[in-house]
Amino acid sequence: MRTARRVLILAVAAVGGSSLAGQVASAAPPYSAKAPGRVVYSLDGGAISPTDNPGGERGPAVGLPDGGTVVVADGPDGRSVIIELDVDGTLDPSFTDAGLTAVQDNLDQFAVTEIVRQPDGKLVLVGSVPTSGNLVFPELALVRLNADGTLDSGFGIGGLKVLPIQASCTGCLTVAVRPGGGLVVGGSTGQQSPAIATDPAATPQTRWVVAALTSYGALDPSFGLAGIAFVGAPGSYAKDLAVLPDGEVVTDGDVYAGDQRYKSQLVRLLPSGAPDPAFHGGTPEYLPDVAVPGILLVYPDGVAIVDLGRAIVRYTAAGLPDETFGTGGVVQTTSPDAADRVNLFPSDGDGAVAILENESDYGSDEVERIGPTGAVDAPFSVGTPFGGGSSSFVTSERPRGLPPLDQNTFAGSVLERPDGSFVLLGDVAVSQPTGEGEGRSSEELAAAALTPSFGLDPSFGGPPTPLQATLAVIRQRASTARTRHGIRVTLGVSAPGLARIVIKASGRVVAQSVLPVFVAGASTLPVELTSFGNTWLGRHPRSRLTASLKARDVLTNTATATASGALR
């Protein structure tokens, strides 16, 4: 879900005019596992986070003309890595993360939020760097990479351009490529009101702006005032923007309406940065009053569609609600709940394809086709069969219910490829709760490819990687097992996922758990005693045990194993 404002960052980073060129690259991450239509990559070596809710952000990505994808994702030591996937889902060995490594070595607080590709194949990474004031939002920073991932030292200063405007929105599309390879970037200037310390409703002293840059990262003096156009009234900030073939810019943003409320506006600017008088008379068009409008989709003819969460609204090229679309220009989506994220893609006749993500229902997105008149076809679900999930709670005096083995943790963003197919990029996770709000978890980058008709694309990924599993019951005392509230076993699984283990004595279940498999290999873990098992072991300390295992990895492959042992 998009966040309207960025959190203020109090730290200061020295960004001065230092060059980032000449830094050493790190090696490309290894390929992990594949299945028909799906791949999973291990980018951080199976690092385990001290939380049961990994909360990893799906990194930004950009499509390539050949159907490949460039992705930024979490890597080792909490740093980001950038990789290129070929059209079949394999890692491109000719692509390096040297450029991003150089940036992070120089600016350890630089986090990539967007990527765009210029016509010459170069990649521009958009992020932010902290500012010196605690009321000033982080400044936008742009880094350009060559097509092979190395740093382009000819962009800005040594590959880096820090803009005199601030980041104002997370999850928004605030950068676009102009005709000829230049860039436009949306954000804000100014600061939060000092009165915010005592008055939460104080009017922000920010101003919605759009900046235009040349292809080499310099502010374009022919645009606005020395490269910056002021769009909104005081107390405003930019959200999404798009560029038309003639160089005009369509942008939406929020304007403070008092009492901690914002109203959203839609504006079109001429290539000079001046308001376009042919769009709503050169004045902002207010969007329907909703909490957080979403993605902006603009067609080459100037027609604009804005996602409103539960609905979409279409505007004519003149900046008026399109009365031929839905009811007064608005079409309600058929999803019963507001989506956490909506992806809009163009279709014939200024219609749209909406892919609605609901993160409370992982692994299944809903697709709705909206025709040029606003007619909505019957929605259908698109499944992405991945695994992972939350394991049983750690052993306790009061055994808890067993979670299902068949969980799906995949949640990802969507890119359309040139042939009309789609690639979904996200992550899969394994977690284990250890207390209230406490636990541990690990994540892997995952991708799936869909055909234009939304079936899994068999040309992506490959034959499934078989899962292998072993199980052994450790020789232990019944009294020790009761003290630990669990019978310890050695579990070996060849890929991350979950493993359900059931241990019986005389045909009765004495212990059972769904255990986390954070990384491939062997580990010794406790299987939680049932209430019956705790009583049984107290009366039968030398019980013979039989154990059964079913493991399921993050690509949904399964394996089974059995073992036996005796307590002493």
Side-chain angles (χ1 to χ4, degrees), residues 308-319:
L308 304 179
R310 291 180 182 269
I312 64 172
V313 57
R314 189 169 76 188
Y315 291 90
T316 67

Side-chain angles (χ1 to χ4, degrees), residues 125-319:
L125 311 181
V126 183
S128 60
V129 293
T131 49
S132 57
N134 63 355
L135 296 174
V136 181
F137 290 91
E139 290 183 314
L140 283 167
L142 278 62
V143 172
R144 188 162 74 180
L145 308 181
N146 295 309
D148 63 357
T150 56
L151 190 69
D152 179 5
S153 59
F155 182 84
I157 300 177
L160 171 70
K161 175 66 177 182
V162 179
L163 298 177
I165 65 175
Q166 299 156 20
S168 60
C169 182
T170 58
C172 300
L173 304 177
T174 58
V175 62
V177 180
R178 305 166 74 194
L183 302 166
V184 289
V185 182
S188 63
T189 58
Q191 65 177 29
Q192 182 60 272
S193 170
I196 194 71
T198 57
D199 181 10
T203 301
Q205 299 172 357
T206 56
R207 186 82 181 270
W208 173 4
V209 296
V210 173
L213 287 74
T214 67
S215 61
Y216 289 94
L219 286 169
D220 185 348
S222 68
F223 186 88
L225 180 63
I228 299 177
F230 291 83
V231 180
S236 61
Y237 63 93
K239 296 202 300 188
D240 298 303
L241 56 77
V243 177
L244 297 175
D246 62 1
E248 291 192 325
V249 179
V250 180
T251 175
D252 65 351
D254 278 359
V255 178
Y256 192 67
D259 195 25
Q260 304 182 59
R261 296 180 301 107
Y262 284 85
K263 288 185 175 292
S264 297
Q265 295 179 336
L266 187 66
V267 177
R268 191 166 75 208
L269 306 178
L270 296 170
S272 65
D276 183 355
F279 186 86
H280 201 250
T283 62
E285 163 72 2
Y286 278 96
L287 298 174
D289 191 13
V290 294
V292 184
I295 299 300
L296 173 68
L297 172 63
V298 180
Y299 290 85
D301 61 4
V303 170
I305 293 180
V306 185
D307 151 50
L308 304 179
R310 291 180 182 269
I312 64 172
V313 57
R314 189 169 76 188
Y315 291 90
T316 67

Side-chain angles (χ1 to χ4, degrees), residues 402-429:
L402 218 59
L405 187 65
D406 294 350
Q407 299 179 52
N408 190 330
T409 60
F410 179 80
S413 56
V414 186
L415 287 177
E416 186 175 19
R417 300 196 285 189
D419 64 354
S421 63
F422 300 89
V423 60
L424 284 67
L425 299 157
D427 51 64
V428 291

Side-chain angles (χ1 to χ4, degrees), residues 22-28 96-99 101-102 105 149-150:
Q23 303 282 344
V24 178
S26 65
T96 173
D97 66 348
T101 297
D105 285 347
T150 56

Side-chain angles (χ1 to χ4, degrees), residues 385-460:
F386 285 95
S390 180
S391 73
S392 300
F393 200 85
V394 292
T395 55
S396 61
E397 294 184 16
R398 296 181 179 179
R400 305 178 184 226
L402 218 59
L405 187 65
D406 294 350
Q407 299 179 52
N408 190 330
T409 60
F410 179 80
S413 56
V414 186
L415 287 177
E416 186 175 19
R417 300 196 285 189
D419 64 354
S421 63
F422 300 89
V423 60
L424 284 67
L425 299 157
D427 51 64
V428 291
V430 176
S431 62
Q432 181 183 47
T434 60
E436 291 298 328
E438 299 177 345
R440 52 188 186 145
S441 59
S442 66
E443 284 182 301
E444 306 287 359
L445 176 67
L450 304 176
T451 65
S453 58
F454 296 98
L456 280 174
D457 183 353
S459 69
F460 188 86

